[in-house]
Amino acid sequence: MWLSQWLKHLNCPRQAILLLQVLYFSHKDSSVFAKKKLLDFTKSWKPHYRVHLGDFIDLAPLRRGASSEERAEGISDDVMMGMEFLREFKPNYLTIGNHDDRLALHSTSCSDGMIRERCTELWMSLEDEFKKLKITTCSYHVSKYLIARIVTGK
């Protein structure tokens, strides 16, 4: 139901939109293969609107309950890979998923000052990239959805 309302609002046929839920790409061969297939499909289908439904980065070291091995991993490569994908996919809209939101959350509420400052730097660089790439973002709220923002303008 919501998709048909959204399409009516955007005044375009169903095939003109590509909704994407891909959980973060890595350097693994299977991930590289999947990314190439997705980008090839997008190029051939030529959607009018590209919507990424969130979780373009993982940030496992920042999750609650992360193991000591996970916490020892860095987050910069993860953020870089996520932005690389967004630059290639070129979404018009991006919902910030719970994984992506870990960075924003740690940039304001982490008790470790060094982690908080690094997360702030990375989050600000992401926001700058979103603006540069003209990606409309929808903040992470469990009770709100992208469709509500597009249809209502709020």
Side-chain angles (χ1 to χ4, degrees):
M1 174 83 173
W2 66 267
L3 181 58
S4 61
Q5 291 174 333
W6 188 35
L7 293 171
K8 185 177 180 181
H9 174 75
L10 295 174
N11 195 25
C12 64
R14 180 179 302 265
Q15 67 271 21
I17 294 180
L18 177 58
L19 294 173
L20 176 65
Q21 175 65 57
V22 176
L23 299 177
Y24 33 87
F25 287 106
S26 68
H27 289 291
K28 296 178 183 171
D29 288 341
S30 60
S31 185
V32 171
F33 177 77
K35 177 180 164 183
K36 181 181 178 346
K37 286 291 188 186
L38 174 67
L39 293 172
D40 287 348
F41 171 77
T42 304
K43 186 177 179 181
S44 68
W45 198 42
K46 299 177 181 145
H48 294 108
Y49 296 95
R50 299 174 191 204
V51 180
H52 193 299
L53 299 175
D55 291 344
F56 69 98
I57 48 181
D58 184 17
L59 300 173
L62 299 180
R63 74 176 178 84
R64 280 187 227 119
S67 68
S68 56
E69 291 84 16
E70 287 174 317
R71 286 192 306 272
E73 296 174 11
I75 59 174
S76 297
D77 284 348
D78 193 358
V79 172
M80 181 193 69
M81 292 288 298
M83 266 320 303
E84 178 184 300
F85 174 70
L86 291 181
R87 282 186 203 103
E88 293 176 88
F89 179 62
K90 302 174 185 159
N92 303 93
Y93 299 97
L94 168 68
T95 60
I96 302 300
N98 64 316
H99 289 235
D100 315 322
D101 192 56
R102 292 173 184 166
L103 198 58
L105 185 63
H106 278 75
S107 74
T108 58
S109 63
C110 183
S111 60
D112 184 317
M114 290 192 318
I115 293 173
R116 185 179 59 251
E117 287 176 359
R118 182 62 182 142
C119 289
T120 299
E121 290 171 3
L122 289 170
W123 185 249
M124 289 173 66
S125 72
L126 285 177
E127 288 182 324
D128 289 344
E129 281 291 311
F130 299 154
K131 288 176 188 170
K132 192 184 311 180
L133 298 171
K134 299 178 182 169
I135 300 172
T136 302
T137 60
C138 181
S139 300
Y140 177 71
H141 297 286
V142 175
S143 61
K144 296 180 182 178
Y145 299 99
L146 176 64
I147 186 61
R149 181 171 181 191
I150 292 172
V151 171
T152 65
K154 296 179 184 176

